[in-house]
Amino acid sequence: MTHPPSGGSQTSRAPDPKPVPAAAPAPVPASAGALVPTAVPARPRAAWAVQAERLRAAATTEPGRLRIIGAVLALLVVAFGAVTTLEVSQRAAAADDVVGRSQPLSADAADVYRYLADADTTAASGFLAGAQEPRDVQARYRDDIEGAARLLVEAAAGTDADSAAGHEIATLNELLPVYTGLIERARANNRQGLPLGGAYLRYANQKMAGEMLPAAERLYAVETGRLEADSADARRWPFLSIGAGIVVLGALVWMQRRTYRRTNRVLNHGLLAATAAASVVVLWLAVGHTVARTELRSAMEHGQASLDVLNDARISSLKARANENLTLVARGAVLTADGSADQYETDYAAGMTTLKDRLEKAGRLADDANGRRPVAEAVEGASQWQARHREARATDDRGDYDGALSRVIGAEESTGQSFEQVDTALQAALAHEQVEFTSAARDGRGALRGLPNGAAVLAVLGAAAVIVGVNRRLSEYR
C-alpha cells in the first residue's frame, strides 16, 4: 500500500493564479440624477491686469523703463500746457470784460445818474428864468433826457431783466416819462403865470430825488461791483499753472540727472529742449501775469477810484445847484421836518459839504499834474460858489427877490457861473481819469495776450522734444 510522503518531503505547488483586473464601475444612468463633472474653462484675465503685468515686465529692463518715463514726462508737459492755457484764458477773458464790458457799463450808469441830475437842475433853472425859457436851457434839458433814455435802452438790451441791474433799469424806464410829464405841466403853468407850476416842479424834483436818483445810484453800484469782480478775477494768481510748471521742470531735471549718472553724458538735446520750452512758459506766465496784475490794480486803485470820487462830486454839485434853484422857486414853502429851516437850503448846504469832501479826496488820488489841475479849478469854483450863494441868500432875506434871482441865474458874477466852472472842471477831470483807467486796463489785458496760445504750442513742442530725447537713448540699445 502506497502512502503519501511524510511532511518533511518537498511537495510541488500549483502556480498562483494571474491577478484579475478590477472591473470598471458601471456608468450611472442619467435618469438616476447623478451630477456629471464637466471641465471649467479658464477665466479670462482683465485687460488692465494684462497691461499692468506687461508694464511690470517692461520696468525690469532699462529700455522699458525709459519708455515709461518718457511717456510720463510727455504727458506731464502736455498737461502743464493745457492747465496754463485754460487758466490764463480765464484771466484774459476777465481782463477783456474789464475793458470792454463792465467798466463801460459802470461809466454808462454814472452818466445816467448825471444826465438825470443835470436834467433836474436845468429844469429848475429854466423855471426861474420865467415864462419863456432860454433856448440853450431847453436844449440842455432835452439832451439830458434823451441821453438818459438812450443809455437806459442800451443797458436794457445787454442786461438780464431778472438781475438787480435789470430791475433798476426797468424802474428808471417807468419813472422817466412820469418825471418829464410833471416838468411839462410845470412849464405850461409857468407860461400862464399860474403858481401851480411851482408845485408841479417841486413834485417832479421829489420824484427825481426820492425815486429816480436812488435807483440810478443803485444801478451804478451794481455795475461798479461787477467791474470790481471782473478785475479781481483777472488778477487772481494761476496757482495750478505755476505748480504744474514747477513739477514739470523738476521731473525734467531729474530725468537729465538720471541720464547723466547712467551714461556720463552731460546733455540730452531733446530733454534740454523740453526743459527750455517749459522754462519759457513758466517765465512768461510769471512775468505776464505780474504785469497784468500791476496794471489792473493801478487801473482800479487810481483810475476807477478817482472816477468814483469825481462822479460823486459831480452828482453832489448838480444836486446842490438844483436845491439852490428850488430855494427860490419854493420861497420858504418847504421846511425841514422840525420846521426850523428851509428844506432846500438845508439840502444845498449838505450837498456842498459833500462836494468839498469829494474834491479833497480827488485831489489826493490824482497822480499827475493833468489830473490835479481840473480838481484845483473845481475847488476854487466851489469856494466862489459858496461865497456868492451867501450873498444871494442875504439879498433874498432882505426881500429883494429879483436881486437874489440875478445873483443865482444872472449872466455876471452869479452862482450859476460858479456852478458851471465846477461842472466843467469836474468833466475835464473825469475825462482824464477815464483815459488813465482805460490805458492801464488795456496794458494789463495786453500782458496776457498770446500767453494761452503760446503755452499750448510750447507744451506740444516740449512733449515732442521729450519723445525725441528718450528715443535717442533707446537707440543705444538696438
Side-chain angles (χ1 to χ4, degrees):
M1 180 170 190
T2 303
H3 296 279
S6 61
S9 64
Q10 185 75 25
T11 60
S12 61
R13 299 175 59 188
D16 295 333
K18 293 183 179 180
V20 179
V28 179
S31 60
L35 296 177
V36 180
T38 57
V40 179
R43 180 177 298 177
R45 301 177 64 189
W48 64 268
V50 175
Q51 294 297 328
E53 184 175 346
R54 289 178 180 176
L55 286 175
R56 285 194 295 269
T60 60
T61 64
E62 181 61 15
R65 285 191 289 268
L66 286 174
R67 291 188 181 93
I68 294 172
I69 295 172
V72 172
L73 284 177
L75 287 175
L76 282 176
V77 174
V78 170
F80 168 48
V83 170
T84 302
T85 300
L86 179 61
E87 275 202 311
V88 177
S89 295
Q90 293 173 347
R91 306 300 188 274
D96 282 335
D97 287 340
V98 168
V99 176
R101 183 179 65 91
S102 51
Q103 205 283 326
L105 286 175
S106 175
D108 287 347
D111 285 341
V112 168
Y113 199 135
R114 180 183 62 80
Y115 278 136
L116 294 176
D118 191 64
D120 196 48
T121 300
T122 305
S125 298
F127 190 92
L128 286 176
Q132 298 297 324
E133 294 185 14
R135 291 182 180 273
D136 58 335
V137 174
Q138 292 182 357
R140 180 168 178 169
Y141 170 81
R142 185 173 56 253
D143 290 343
D144 286 336
I145 294 299
E146 291 176 353
R150 174 179 53 82
L151 290 177
L152 287 173
V153 170
E154 293 176 358
T159 304
D160 184 2
D162 293 330
S163 64
H167 289 306
E168 303 303 340
I169 292 170
T171 298
L172 290 171
N173 279 325
E174 292 174 2
L175 293 175
L176 187 58
V178 175
Y179 172 81
T180 56
L182 292 171
I183 293 297
E184 292 307 318
R185 289 188 180 91
R187 285 174 170 175
N189 283 274
N190 193 37
R191 283 193 292 269
Q192 298 176 40
L194 300 176
L196 191 58
Y200 274 117
L201 183 66
R202 292 195 301 271
Y203 185 43
N205 173 261
Q206 292 173 5
K207 182 70 66 175
M208 176 65 73
E211 299 181 49
M212 297 179 69
L213 290 182
E217 186 174 5
R218 291 192 297 269
L219 176 62
Y220 178 69
V222 169
E223 298 299 350
T224 302
R226 183 185 303 180
L227 168 62
E228 292 173 352
D230 287 340
S231 178
D233 288 341
R235 289 184 281 117
R236 281 190 299 115
W237 277 105
F239 289 112
L240 287 178
S241 300
I242 294 175
I246 294 173
V247 170
V248 166
L249 287 176
L252 288 170
V253 169
W254 171 83
M255 180 58 180
Q256 291 178 86
R257 183 171 179 272
R258 180 182 187 277
T259 302
Y260 170 73
R261 293 181 64 183
R262 290 176 178 267
T263 64
N264 288 329
R265 291 175 182 168
V266 177
L267 299 177
N268 180 292
H269 295 94
L271 296 176
L272 185 64
T275 304
S279 300
V280 169
V281 174
V282 171
L283 184 62
W284 190 357
L285 177 64
V287 174
H289 200 271
T290 299
V291 172
R293 280 175 57 88
T294 301
E295 294 296 336
L296 289 170
R297 181 181 289 109
S298 175
M300 294 300 297
E301 292 181 353
H302 298 285
Q304 186 59 34
S306 294
L307 287 171
D308 288 341
V309 173
L310 290 170
N311 278 319
D312 286 346
R314 196 174 188 189
I315 296 304
S316 297
S317 70
L318 289 168
K319 286 181 177 180
R321 178 60 178 170
N323 287 314
E324 183 180 48
N325 292 335
L326 287 167
T327 301
L328 293 177
V329 172
R331 305 184 73 171
V334 181
L335 301 178
T336 56
D338 59 3
S340 62
D342 184 280
Q343 180 66 60
Y344 295 117
E345 179 64 19
T346 302
D347 292 341
Y348 163 82
M352 293 302 293
T353 300
T354 303
L355 172 62
K356 294 188 70 174
D357 176 72
R358 295 297 183 269
L359 289 176
E360 291 178 3
K361 188 173 182 180
R364 294 193 298 269
L365 289 173
D367 52 2
D368 58 15
N370 292 331
R372 287 188 290 269
R373 187 182 304 111
V375 174
E377 293 175 359
V379 170
E380 179 183 355
S383 298
Q384 186 185 71
W385 182 2
Q386 286 183 304
R388 290 177 175 177
H389 177 81
R390 287 191 292 270
E391 294 175 0
R393 293 310 310 147
T395 303
D396 189 35
D397 291 340
R398 291 194 300 268
D400 185 1
Y401 177 81
D402 291 336
L405 185 63
S406 176
R407 289 181 179 276
V408 172
I409 63 172
E412 295 181 0
E413 297 184 355
S414 65
T415 60
Q417 289 180 316
S418 300
F419 162 74
E420 290 296 336
Q421 178 181 342
V422 172
D423 192 65
T424 301
L426 287 174
Q427 186 175 3
L430 281 165
H432 172 74
E433 296 299 335
Q434 182 64 56
V435 170
E436 291 291 306
F437 175 91
T438 303
S439 176
R442 285 179 176 172
D443 289 343
R445 180 182 64 178
L448 298 176
R449 275 212 176 134
L451 180 53
N453 293 334
V457 171
L458 288 172
V460 172
L461 293 177
V466 168
I467 294 173
V468 170
V470 172
N471 284 340
R472 176 69 176 173
R473 284 281 292 117
L474 287 173
S475 65
E476 300 172 2
Y477 292 90
R478 298 192 183 105

